[in-house]
Amino acid sequence: MDWNRVEGNWKQLKGQVKEQWGKLTDDDLDVIAGRREQLEGKLQERYGLTKDRVRSEIDSWYASQKWQ
């Protein structure tokens, strides 16, 4: 997986991320700034999910993006 695509297009993807995970705030998205580790941590914090579950959800979201 080439996460650099997410980092490079973060401004455009923030809306899609917020649509997918509505508990993330605009401030959260600014802190995440496209970094996967930050996204994982915020999702664990906001949703109370395990690290494995968060990784799986992020992988599914990534695979659903149109660049594939």
Short mmCIF file of all heavy atoms in Angstrom, two decimals:
data_model
loop_
_atom_site.label_atom_id
_atom_site.label_comp_id
_atom_site.label_asym_id
_atom_site.label_seq_id
_atom_site.Cartn_x
_atom_site.Cartn_y
_atom_site.Cartn_z
N MET A 1 0.84 -1.18 0.00
CA MET A 1 0.00 0.00 0.00
C MET A 1 0.89 1.24 0.00
O MET A 1 1.84 1.32 0.75
CB MET A 1 -0.89 -0.03 1.25
CG MET A 1 -1.79 1.16 1.34
SD MET A 1 -2.78 1.25 2.83
CE MET A 1 -3.42 -0.38 3.00
N ASP A 2 0.55 2.18 -0.85
CA ASP A 2 1.34 3.40 -0.98
C ASP A 2 0.62 4.54 -0.26
O ASP A 2 -0.17 5.27 -0.86
CB ASP A 2 1.54 3.72 -2.45
CG ASP A 2 2.40 4.94 -2.66
OD1 ASP A 2 3.08 5.36 -1.71
OD2 ASP A 2 2.40 5.48 -3.78
N TRP A 3 0.86 4.67 1.03
CA TRP A 3 0.17 5.67 1.84
C TRP A 3 0.58 7.08 1.43
O TRP A 3 -0.11 8.05 1.77
CB TRP A 3 0.46 5.41 3.32
CG TRP A 3 -0.47 6.22 4.17
CD1 TRP A 3 -0.19 7.38 4.82
CD2 TRP A 3 -1.85 5.94 4.45
NE1 TRP A 3 -1.29 7.84 5.48
CE2 TRP A 3 -2.34 6.97 5.26
CE3 TRP A 3 -2.72 4.92 4.07
CZ2 TRP A 3 -3.64 7.02 5.73
CZ3 TRP A 3 -4.03 4.97 4.54
CH2 TRP A 3 -4.47 6.00 5.35
N ASN A 4 1.66 7.24 0.68
CA ASN A 4 2.08 8.57 0.23
C ASN A 4 0.99 9.27 -0.56
O ASN A 4 0.91 10.50 -0.56
CB ASN A 4 3.36 8.48 -0.61
CG ASN A 4 4.55 8.09 0.22
OD1 ASN A 4 4.64 8.42 1.40
ND2 ASN A 4 5.47 7.37 -0.38
N ARG A 5 0.15 8.51 -1.23
CA ARG A 5 -0.96 9.10 -1.98
C ARG A 5 -1.91 9.83 -1.03
O ARG A 5 -2.43 10.89 -1.36
CB ARG A 5 -1.74 8.03 -2.74
CG ARG A 5 -0.99 7.47 -3.90
CD ARG A 5 -1.84 6.45 -4.59
NE ARG A 5 -1.16 5.97 -5.77
CZ ARG A 5 -1.66 5.06 -6.57
NH1 ARG A 5 -2.83 4.53 -6.32
NH2 ARG A 5 -0.99 4.67 -7.63
N VAL A 6 -2.15 9.23 0.10
CA VAL A 6 -3.04 9.85 1.08
C VAL A 6 -2.39 11.12 1.62
O VAL A 6 -3.02 12.18 1.69
CB VAL A 6 -3.37 8.88 2.23
CG1 VAL A 6 -4.17 9.58 3.31
CG2 VAL A 6 -4.13 7.67 1.70
N GLU A 7 -1.13 11.03 2.01
CA GLU A 7 -0.44 12.20 2.54
C GLU A 7 -0.42 13.34 1.53
O GLU A 7 -0.66 14.49 1.88
CB GLU A 7 0.98 11.83 2.96
CG GLU A 7 1.03 10.94 4.18
CD GLU A 7 2.44 10.53 4.56
OE1 GLU A 7 3.42 11.08 4.02
OE2 GLU A 7 2.55 9.64 5.42
N GLY A 8 -0.15 13.02 0.28
CA GLY A 8 -0.04 14.04 -0.75
C GLY A 8 -1.38 14.67 -1.11
O GLY A 8 -1.42 15.81 -1.60
N ASN A 9 -2.46 13.96 -0.89
CA ASN A 9 -3.79 14.45 -1.25
C ASN A 9 -4.67 14.70 -0.03
O ASN A 9 -5.90 14.69 -0.14
CB ASN A 9 -4.49 13.45 -2.18
CG ASN A 9 -3.78 13.31 -3.50
OD1 ASN A 9 -3.63 14.28 -4.23
ND2 ASN A 9 -3.32 12.11 -3.80
N TRP A 10 -4.05 14.90 1.11
CA TRP A 10 -4.81 14.98 2.37
C TRP A 10 -5.89 16.05 2.34
O TRP A 10 -7.00 15.83 2.79
CB TRP A 10 -3.87 15.19 3.54
CG TRP A 10 -4.60 15.15 4.85
CD1 TRP A 10 -4.76 16.17 5.73
CD2 TRP A 10 -5.27 14.02 5.43
NE1 TRP A 10 -5.50 15.76 6.81
CE2 TRP A 10 -5.82 14.43 6.64
CE3 TRP A 10 -5.48 12.70 5.02
CZ2 TRP A 10 -6.55 13.59 7.47
CZ3 TRP A 10 -6.20 11.86 5.84
CH2 TRP A 10 -6.73 12.30 7.04
N LYS A 11 -5.58 17.22 1.81
CA LYS A 11 -6.59 18.29 1.79
C LYS A 11 -7.84 17.86 1.05
O LYS A 11 -8.96 18.17 1.47
CB LYS A 11 -6.01 19.57 1.19
CG LYS A 11 -5.04 20.25 2.11
CD LYS A 11 -4.57 21.57 1.55
CE LYS A 11 -3.58 22.19 2.53
NZ LYS A 11 -3.12 23.49 2.09
N GLN A 12 -7.67 17.14 -0.04
CA GLN A 12 -8.82 16.67 -0.81
C GLN A 12 -9.52 15.49 -0.12
O GLN A 12 -10.72 15.31 -0.28
CB GLN A 12 -8.40 16.24 -2.23
CG GLN A 12 -7.92 17.36 -3.10
CD GLN A 12 -6.44 17.70 -2.90
OE1 GLN A 12 -5.73 17.04 -2.16
NE2 GLN A 12 -6.00 18.77 -3.55
N LEU A 13 -8.77 14.70 0.62
CA LEU A 13 -9.32 13.49 1.23
C LEU A 13 -9.96 13.72 2.59
O LEU A 13 -10.71 12.87 3.07
CB LEU A 13 -8.22 12.43 1.37
CG LEU A 13 -7.70 11.85 0.07
CD1 LEU A 13 -6.48 10.97 0.33
CD2 LEU A 13 -8.79 11.04 -0.62
N LYS A 14 -9.71 14.86 3.20
CA LYS A 14 -10.24 15.10 4.55
C LYS A 14 -11.75 14.94 4.61
O LYS A 14 -12.27 14.37 5.56
CB LYS A 14 -9.84 16.49 5.07
CG LYS A 14 -8.41 16.58 5.48
CD LYS A 14 -8.05 17.78 6.32
CE LYS A 14 -8.49 19.11 5.87
NZ LYS A 14 -7.93 20.21 6.69
N GLY A 15 -12.45 15.41 3.60
CA GLY A 15 -13.91 15.28 3.58
C GLY A 15 -14.35 13.83 3.53
O GLY A 15 -15.29 13.44 4.22
N GLN A 16 -13.65 13.03 2.75
CA GLN A 16 -13.98 11.61 2.64
C GLN A 16 -13.68 10.88 3.95
O GLN A 16 -14.43 10.00 4.36
CB GLN A 16 -13.21 10.97 1.50
CG GLN A 16 -13.62 11.50 0.14
CD GLN A 16 -12.75 10.94 -0.97
OE1 GLN A 16 -12.20 9.86 -0.86
NE2 GLN A 16 -12.61 11.70 -2.04
N VAL A 17 -12.59 11.27 4.58
CA VAL A 17 -12.23 10.65 5.87
C VAL A 17 -13.29 11.00 6.91
O VAL A 17 -13.74 10.13 7.67
CB VAL A 17 -10.82 11.10 6.31
CG1 VAL A 17 -10.53 10.67 7.73
CG2 VAL A 17 -9.77 10.55 5.35
N LYS A 18 -13.69 12.25 6.93
CA LYS A 18 -14.70 12.67 7.91
C LYS A 18 -16.05 12.01 7.62
O LYS A 18 -16.79 11.69 8.54
CB LYS A 18 -14.84 14.19 7.90
CG LYS A 18 -15.60 14.70 9.09
CD LYS A 18 -15.44 16.17 9.28
CE LYS A 18 -16.16 16.61 10.55
NZ LYS A 18 -15.99 18.01 10.81
N GLU A 19 -16.36 11.79 6.34
CA GLU A 19 -17.59 11.09 5.97
C GLU A 19 -17.54 9.64 6.47
O GLU A 19 -18.53 9.11 6.96
CB GLU A 19 -17.72 11.12 4.46
CG GLU A 19 -19.09 10.78 3.94
CD GLU A 19 -19.16 10.98 2.44
OE1 GLU A 19 -18.96 12.12 1.98
OE2 GLU A 19 -19.43 9.99 1.73
N GLN A 20 -16.39 9.01 6.34
CA GLN A 20 -16.22 7.62 6.77
C GLN A 20 -16.23 7.50 8.30
O GLN A 20 -16.84 6.60 8.84
CB GLN A 20 -14.90 7.07 6.22
CG GLN A 20 -14.59 5.66 6.61
CD GLN A 20 -15.40 4.64 5.86
OE1 GLN A 20 -15.87 4.89 4.75
NE2 GLN A 20 -15.60 3.48 6.45
N TRP A 21 -15.54 8.40 8.96
CA TRP A 21 -15.40 8.37 10.42
C TRP A 21 -15.86 9.71 10.99
O TRP A 21 -15.05 10.60 11.27
CB TRP A 21 -13.96 8.08 10.81
CG TRP A 21 -13.51 6.72 10.36
CD1 TRP A 21 -13.93 5.52 10.85
CD2 TRP A 21 -12.57 6.41 9.33
NE1 TRP A 21 -13.30 4.49 10.18
CE2 TRP A 21 -12.46 5.01 9.24
CE3 TRP A 21 -11.80 7.20 8.46
CZ2 TRP A 21 -11.62 4.38 8.33
CZ3 TRP A 21 -10.97 6.58 7.55
CH2 TRP A 21 -10.89 5.18 7.49
N GLY A 22 -17.16 9.85 11.16
CA GLY A 22 -17.78 11.11 11.54
C GLY A 22 -17.42 11.64 12.91
O GLY A 22 -17.66 12.81 13.19
N LYS A 23 -16.86 10.80 13.76
CA LYS A 23 -16.48 11.29 15.09
C LYS A 23 -15.19 12.08 15.08
O LYS A 23 -14.84 12.71 16.08
CB LYS A 23 -16.35 10.12 16.08
CG LYS A 23 -17.67 9.46 16.42
CD LYS A 23 -17.47 8.38 17.47
CE LYS A 23 -18.79 7.69 17.81
NZ LYS A 23 -18.61 6.63 18.82
N LEU A 24 -14.47 12.06 13.98
CA LEU A 24 -13.24 12.84 13.89
C LEU A 24 -13.60 14.31 13.68
O LEU A 24 -14.45 14.64 12.85
CB LEU A 24 -12.37 12.36 12.73
CG LEU A 24 -11.79 10.96 12.85
CD1 LEU A 24 -11.01 10.60 11.59
CD2 LEU A 24 -10.90 10.82 14.07
N THR A 25 -12.95 15.17 14.42
CA THR A 25 -13.21 16.60 14.31
C THR A 25 -12.28 17.21 13.27
O THR A 25 -11.30 16.59 12.84
CB THR A 25 -12.97 17.30 15.66
OG1 THR A 25 -11.57 17.21 15.98
CG2 THR A 25 -13.81 16.67 16.77
N ASP A 26 -12.57 18.46 12.90
CA ASP A 26 -11.69 19.17 11.97
C ASP A 26 -10.30 19.32 12.59
O ASP A 26 -9.29 19.21 11.89
CB ASP A 26 -12.26 20.55 11.62
CG ASP A 26 -13.48 20.44 10.73
OD1 ASP A 26 -13.61 19.44 10.00
OD2 ASP A 26 -14.31 21.37 10.76
N ASP A 27 -10.25 19.55 13.90
CA ASP A 27 -8.95 19.64 14.58
C ASP A 27 -8.20 18.31 14.51
O ASP A 27 -6.99 18.29 14.31
CB ASP A 27 -9.12 20.06 16.04
CG ASP A 27 -9.52 21.53 16.19
OD1 ASP A 27 -9.30 22.31 15.23
OD2 ASP A 27 -10.03 21.89 17.25
N ASP A 28 -8.92 17.21 14.68
CA ASP A 28 -8.30 15.88 14.56
C ASP A 28 -7.68 15.73 13.18
O ASP A 28 -6.55 15.26 13.04
CB ASP A 28 -9.33 14.76 14.75
CG ASP A 28 -9.84 14.61 16.17
OD1 ASP A 28 -9.16 15.08 17.10
OD2 ASP A 28 -10.92 14.03 16.33
N LEU A 29 -8.44 16.12 12.16
CA LEU A 29 -7.97 15.96 10.78
C LEU A 29 -6.73 16.82 10.53
O LEU A 29 -5.82 16.41 9.81
CB LEU A 29 -9.07 16.31 9.80
CG LEU A 29 -10.30 15.37 9.85
CD1 LEU A 29 -11.40 15.91 8.96
CD2 LEU A 29 -9.93 13.96 9.48
N ASP A 30 -6.69 18.00 11.13
CA ASP A 30 -5.50 18.85 11.00
C ASP A 30 -4.29 18.22 11.67
O ASP A 30 -3.18 18.27 11.14
CB ASP A 30 -5.77 20.24 11.59
CG ASP A 30 -6.74 21.05 10.75
OD1 ASP A 30 -6.94 20.72 9.55
OD2 ASP A 30 -7.31 22.01 11.28
N VAL A 31 -4.51 17.60 12.83
CA VAL A 31 -3.40 16.94 13.54
C VAL A 31 -2.93 15.71 12.77
O VAL A 31 -1.74 15.46 12.65
CB VAL A 31 -3.85 16.54 14.97
CG1 VAL A 31 -2.83 15.61 15.63
CG2 VAL A 31 -4.07 17.78 15.83
N ILE A 32 -3.86 14.96 12.22
CA ILE A 32 -3.52 13.75 11.47
C ILE A 32 -2.67 14.09 10.26
O ILE A 32 -1.67 13.43 9.99
CB ILE A 32 -4.81 13.00 11.05
CG1 ILE A 32 -5.51 12.45 12.29
CG2 ILE A 32 -4.48 11.88 10.06
CD1 ILE A 32 -6.94 12.01 12.05
N ALA A 33 -3.07 15.11 9.53
CA ALA A 33 -2.31 15.63 8.38
C ALA A 33 -1.85 14.54 7.41
O ALA A 33 -0.77 14.60 6.85
CB ALA A 33 -1.11 16.44 8.87
N GLY A 34 -2.68 13.51 7.24
CA GLY A 34 -2.38 12.47 6.28
C GLY A 34 -1.49 11.35 6.78
O GLY A 34 -1.22 10.40 6.05
N ARG A 35 -1.04 11.44 8.02
CA ARG A 35 -0.16 10.39 8.56
C ARG A 35 -0.98 9.23 9.09
O ARG A 35 -1.86 9.40 9.94
CB ARG A 35 0.72 10.97 9.66
CG ARG A 35 1.67 12.03 9.12
CD ARG A 35 2.39 12.71 10.23
NE ARG A 35 1.36 13.34 11.08
CZ ARG A 35 1.60 14.30 11.96
NH1 ARG A 35 2.82 14.72 12.15
NH2 ARG A 35 0.63 14.82 12.67
N ARG A 36 -0.69 8.06 8.59
CA ARG A 36 -1.47 6.87 8.95
C ARG A 36 -1.43 6.59 10.45
O ARG A 36 -2.45 6.25 11.04
CB ARG A 36 -0.97 5.66 8.16
CG ARG A 36 -1.82 4.44 8.47
CD ARG A 36 -1.43 3.23 7.70
NE ARG A 36 -2.20 2.11 8.20
CZ ARG A 36 -2.96 1.34 7.46
NH1 ARG A 36 -3.05 1.54 6.18
NH2 ARG A 36 -3.64 0.36 8.00
N GLU A 37 -0.27 6.71 11.07
CA GLU A 37 -0.16 6.41 12.50
C GLU A 37 -1.05 7.34 13.32
O GLU A 37 -1.67 6.90 14.29
CB GLU A 37 1.30 6.54 12.98
CG GLU A 37 2.27 5.60 12.30
CD GLU A 37 2.71 6.10 10.92
OE1 GLU A 37 2.63 7.32 10.65
OE2 GLU A 37 3.11 5.27 10.10
N GLN A 38 -1.11 8.60 12.91
CA GLN A 38 -1.96 9.55 13.61
C GLN A 38 -3.44 9.21 13.41
O GLN A 38 -4.23 9.29 14.34
CB GLN A 38 -1.68 10.97 13.11
CG GLN A 38 -0.31 11.49 13.44
CD GLN A 38 -0.12 11.72 14.93
OE1 GLN A 38 -1.05 12.07 15.63
NE2 GLN A 38 1.08 11.49 15.40
N LEU A 39 -3.79 8.81 12.19
CA LEU A 39 -5.18 8.41 11.92
C LEU A 39 -5.55 7.20 12.76
O LEU A 39 -6.62 7.16 13.36
CB LEU A 39 -5.35 8.12 10.42
CG LEU A 39 -6.74 7.63 9.98
CD1 LEU A 39 -7.83 8.63 10.35
CD2 LEU A 39 -6.74 7.34 8.48
N GLU A 40 -4.66 6.21 12.81
CA GLU A 40 -4.93 5.02 13.63
C GLU A 40 -5.17 5.40 15.08
O GLU A 40 -6.12 4.93 15.71
CB GLU A 40 -3.76 4.04 13.53
CG GLU A 40 -3.65 3.34 12.20
CD GLU A 40 -2.43 2.43 12.12
OE1 GLU A 40 -1.69 2.29 13.10
OE2 GLU A 40 -2.21 1.86 11.03
N GLY A 41 -4.31 6.25 15.61
CA GLY A 41 -4.43 6.65 17.01
C GLY A 41 -5.73 7.40 17.29
O GLY A 41 -6.40 7.14 18.30
N LYS A 42 -6.10 8.32 16.41
CA LYS A 42 -7.33 9.09 16.62
C LYS A 42 -8.56 8.20 16.50
O LYS A 42 -9.54 8.37 17.24
CB LYS A 42 -7.43 10.24 15.63
CG LYS A 42 -6.51 11.39 15.94
CD LYS A 42 -6.90 12.07 17.24
CE LYS A 42 -5.98 13.22 17.55
NZ LYS A 42 -6.25 13.79 18.87
N LEU A 43 -8.54 7.24 15.59
CA LEU A 43 -9.68 6.34 15.46
C LEU A 43 -9.80 5.45 16.70
O LEU A 43 -10.91 5.21 17.18
CB LEU A 43 -9.55 5.47 14.20
CG LEU A 43 -9.75 6.22 12.88
CD1 LEU A 43 -9.50 5.29 11.71
CD2 LEU A 43 -11.12 6.86 12.80
N GLN A 44 -8.69 4.99 17.23
CA GLN A 44 -8.72 4.20 18.46
C GLN A 44 -9.30 5.04 19.60
O GLN A 44 -10.13 4.57 20.37
CB GLN A 44 -7.32 3.72 18.84
CG GLN A 44 -6.82 2.58 18.01
CD GLN A 44 -5.44 2.15 18.45
OE1 GLN A 44 -4.46 2.79 18.12
NE2 GLN A 44 -5.38 1.09 19.21
N GLU A 45 -8.86 6.28 19.68
CA GLU A 45 -9.30 7.19 20.75
C GLU A 45 -10.79 7.49 20.63
O GLU A 45 -11.53 7.42 21.62
CB GLU A 45 -8.49 8.47 20.63
CG GLU A 45 -8.78 9.52 21.67
CD GLU A 45 -7.93 10.77 21.43
OE1 GLU A 45 -6.75 10.65 21.07
OE2 GLU A 45 -8.49 11.87 21.59
N ARG A 46 -11.25 7.84 19.44
CA ARG A 46 -12.64 8.28 19.25
C ARG A 46 -13.64 7.11 19.26
O ARG A 46 -14.77 7.27 19.72
CB ARG A 46 -12.80 9.03 17.93
CG ARG A 46 -12.06 10.33 17.86
CD ARG A 46 -12.76 11.41 18.67
NE ARG A 46 -12.05 12.67 18.51
CZ ARG A 46 -11.44 13.29 19.51
NH1 ARG A 46 -11.46 12.79 20.72
NH2 ARG A 46 -10.82 14.43 19.30
N TYR A 47 -13.23 5.96 18.73
CA TYR A 47 -14.17 4.85 18.58
C TYR A 47 -13.92 3.70 19.56
O TYR A 47 -14.73 2.78 19.63
CB TYR A 47 -14.13 4.31 17.15
CG TYR A 47 -14.77 5.24 16.16
CD1 TYR A 47 -14.03 6.22 15.52
CD2 TYR A 47 -16.12 5.13 15.85
CE1 TYR A 47 -14.62 7.09 14.61
CE2 TYR A 47 -16.73 5.98 14.94
CZ TYR A 47 -15.97 6.97 14.32
OH TYR A 47 -16.56 7.82 13.43
N GLY A 48 -12.81 3.73 20.28
CA GLY A 48 -12.52 2.67 21.24
C GLY A 48 -12.26 1.33 20.58
O GLY A 48 -12.58 0.28 21.15
N LEU A 49 -11.68 1.35 19.39
CA LEU A 49 -11.41 0.11 18.64
C LEU A 49 -10.00 -0.39 18.91
O LEU A 49 -9.12 0.38 19.29
CB LEU A 49 -11.56 0.37 17.14
CG LEU A 49 -12.92 0.88 16.67
CD1 LEU A 49 -12.86 1.27 15.20
CD2 LEU A 49 -13.99 -0.16 16.90
N THR A 50 -9.80 -1.68 18.67
CA THR A 50 -8.46 -2.24 18.80
C THR A 50 -7.61 -1.79 17.62
O THR A 50 -8.11 -1.39 16.58
CB THR A 50 -8.51 -3.78 18.79
OG1 THR A 50 -8.97 -4.22 17.51
CG2 THR A 50 -9.38 -4.31 19.90
N LYS A 51 -6.31 -1.88 17.82
CA LYS A 51 -5.37 -1.49 16.76
C LYS A 51 -5.60 -2.31 15.49
O LYS A 51 -5.58 -1.77 14.38
CB LYS A 51 -3.94 -1.63 17.26
CG LYS A 51 -2.93 -1.01 16.35
CD LYS A 51 -1.56 -0.96 17.01
CE LYS A 51 -0.67 -0.03 16.26
NZ LYS A 51 -0.24 1.12 17.00
N ASP A 52 -5.82 -3.61 15.64
CA ASP A 52 -6.05 -4.47 14.47
C ASP A 52 -7.32 -4.08 13.74
O ASP A 52 -7.35 -4.05 12.51
CB ASP A 52 -6.12 -5.94 14.89
CG ASP A 52 -4.77 -6.51 15.28
OD1 ASP A 52 -3.73 -5.93 14.88
OD2 ASP A 52 -4.75 -7.54 15.97
N ARG A 53 -8.37 -3.78 14.48
CA ARG A 53 -9.64 -3.37 13.86
C ARG A 53 -9.48 -2.06 13.10
O ARG A 53 -9.97 -1.89 11.99
CB ARG A 53 -10.71 -3.25 14.94
CG ARG A 53 -12.03 -2.70 14.46
CD ARG A 53 -12.81 -3.74 13.64
NE ARG A 53 -13.99 -3.15 13.06
CZ ARG A 53 -15.17 -3.06 13.65
NH1 ARG A 53 -15.33 -3.54 14.88
NH2 ARG A 53 -16.19 -2.51 13.04
N VAL A 54 -8.76 -1.11 13.71
CA VAL A 54 -8.52 0.18 13.08
C VAL A 54 -7.73 -0.01 11.79
O VAL A 54 -8.07 0.56 10.75
CB VAL A 54 -7.80 1.14 14.04
CG1 VAL A 54 -7.25 2.35 13.32
CG2 VAL A 54 -8.73 1.58 15.15
N ARG A 55 -6.69 -0.82 11.84
CA ARG A 55 -5.88 -1.07 10.64
C ARG A 55 -6.72 -1.68 9.53
O ARG A 55 -6.60 -1.31 8.36
CB ARG A 55 -4.70 -1.96 10.98
CG ARG A 55 -3.62 -1.24 11.73
CD ARG A 55 -2.45 -2.14 12.01
NE ARG A 55 -1.39 -1.38 12.67
CZ ARG A 55 -0.33 -1.91 13.22
NH1 ARG A 55 -0.16 -3.21 13.19
NH2 ARG A 55 0.57 -1.15 13.79
N SER A 56 -7.58 -2.61 9.89
CA SER A 56 -8.45 -3.26 8.92
C SER A 56 -9.41 -2.25 8.28
O SER A 56 -9.62 -2.25 7.06
CB SER A 56 -9.23 -4.38 9.59
OG SER A 56 -10.15 -4.95 8.71
N GLU A 57 -9.99 -1.38 9.10
CA GLU A 57 -10.91 -0.37 8.57
C GLU A 57 -10.19 0.61 7.64
O GLU A 57 -10.72 0.98 6.60
CB GLU A 57 -11.58 0.39 9.72
CG GLU A 57 -12.64 -0.41 10.40
CD GLU A 57 -13.57 0.43 11.25
OE1 GLU A 57 -13.59 1.67 11.11
OE2 GLU A 57 -14.28 -0.17 12.07
N ILE A 58 -9.00 1.02 8.03
CA ILE A 58 -8.23 1.94 7.19
C ILE A 58 -7.86 1.26 5.87
O ILE A 58 -7.97 1.87 4.80
CB ILE A 58 -6.98 2.46 7.93
CG1 ILE A 58 -7.41 3.37 9.09
CG2 ILE A 58 -6.06 3.22 6.97
CD1 ILE A 58 -6.27 3.77 10.01
N ASP A 59 -7.43 0.01 5.94
CA ASP A 59 -7.10 -0.73 4.71
C ASP A 59 -8.31 -0.82 3.79
O ASP A 59 -8.18 -0.65 2.57
CB ASP A 59 -6.58 -2.13 5.04
CG ASP A 59 -5.19 -2.12 5.66
OD1 ASP A 59 -4.50 -1.08 5.60
OD2 ASP A 59 -4.81 -3.16 6.23
N SER A 60 -9.48 -1.09 4.35
CA SER A 60 -10.70 -1.18 3.53
C SER A 60 -11.03 0.16 2.91
O SER A 60 -11.39 0.23 1.72
CB SER A 60 -11.88 -1.65 4.39
OG SER A 60 -11.68 -2.97 4.81
N TRP A 61 -10.92 1.23 3.69
CA TRP A 61 -11.19 2.56 3.16
C TRP A 61 -10.21 2.89 2.04
O TRP A 61 -10.62 3.36 0.99
CB TRP A 61 -11.09 3.60 4.29
CG TRP A 61 -11.17 5.00 3.78
CD1 TRP A 61 -12.30 5.69 3.46
CD2 TRP A 61 -10.07 5.86 3.50
NE1 TRP A 61 -11.97 6.94 3.00
CE2 TRP A 61 -10.61 7.07 3.01
CE3 TRP A 61 -8.69 5.75 3.62
CZ2 TRP A 61 -9.81 8.15 2.63
CZ3 TRP A 61 -7.90 6.83 3.24
CH2 TRP A 61 -8.45 8.00 2.76
N TYR A 62 -8.94 2.61 2.26
CA TYR A 62 -7.91 2.89 1.26
C TYR A 62 -8.20 2.15 -0.04
O TYR A 62 -8.13 2.71 -1.13
CB TYR A 62 -6.53 2.52 1.80
CG TYR A 62 -5.40 2.85 0.86
CD1 TYR A 62 -4.77 4.07 0.92
CD2 TYR A 62 -4.97 1.92 -0.09
CE1 TYR A 62 -3.73 4.38 0.06
CE2 TYR A 62 -3.93 2.22 -0.95
CZ TYR A 62 -3.32 3.45 -0.87
OH TYR A 62 -2.30 3.75 -1.74
N ALA A 63 -8.57 0.87 0.08
CA ALA A 63 -8.84 0.05 -1.10
C ALA A 63 -10.06 0.55 -1.87
O ALA A 63 -10.15 0.34 -3.08
CB ALA A 63 -9.04 -1.40 -0.68
N SER A 64 -10.97 1.23 -1.19
CA SER A 64 -12.18 1.72 -1.84
C SER A 64 -11.98 3.04 -2.59
O SER A 64 -12.88 3.48 -3.31
CB SER A 64 -13.30 1.89 -0.82
OG SER A 64 -13.06 3.02 0.00
N GLN A 65 -10.82 3.65 -2.44
CA GLN A 65 -10.57 4.92 -3.09
C GLN A 65 -10.40 4.72 -4.59
O GLN A 65 -9.97 3.68 -5.06
CB GLN A 65 -9.34 5.60 -2.49
CG GLN A 65 -9.50 5.95 -1.03
CD GLN A 65 -10.75 6.77 -0.74
OE1 GLN A 65 -10.91 7.86 -1.28
NE2 GLN A 65 -11.62 6.23 0.06
N LYS A 66 -10.70 5.74 -5.36
CA LYS A 66 -10.75 5.64 -6.82
C LYS A 66 -9.41 5.53 -7.50
O LYS A 66 -9.34 5.25 -8.68
CB LYS A 66 -11.52 6.83 -7.37
CG LYS A 66 -12.95 6.88 -6.89
CD LYS A 66 -13.80 7.75 -7.75
CE LYS A 66 -15.22 7.90 -7.35
NZ LYS A 66 -15.83 6.93 -6.50
N TRP A 67 -8.32 5.75 -6.80
CA TRP A 67 -7.00 5.68 -7.46
C TRP A 67 -6.57 4.24 -7.72
O TRP A 67 -5.60 4.00 -8.39
CB TRP A 67 -5.92 6.39 -6.66
CG TRP A 67 -5.80 5.91 -5.25
CD1 TRP A 67 -5.52 4.66 -4.81
CD2 TRP A 67 -5.93 6.71 -4.08
NE1 TRP A 67 -5.49 4.62 -3.44
CE2 TRP A 67 -5.74 5.87 -2.98
CE3 TRP A 67 -6.21 8.06 -3.87
CZ2 TRP A 67 -5.80 6.35 -1.66
CZ3 TRP A 67 -6.26 8.51 -2.57
CH2 TRP A 67 -6.07 7.65 -1.49
N GLN A 68 -7.27 3.29 -7.18
CA GLN A 68 -6.90 1.89 -7.33
C GLN A 68 -7.14 1.42 -8.75
O GLN A 68 -8.04 1.76 -9.41
CB GLN A 68 -7.70 1.03 -6.37
CG GLN A 68 -7.37 1.29 -4.94
CD GLN A 68 -6.17 0.55 -4.44
OE1 GLN A 68 -5.93 -0.58 -4.83
NE2 GLN A 68 -5.38 1.16 -3.60
#
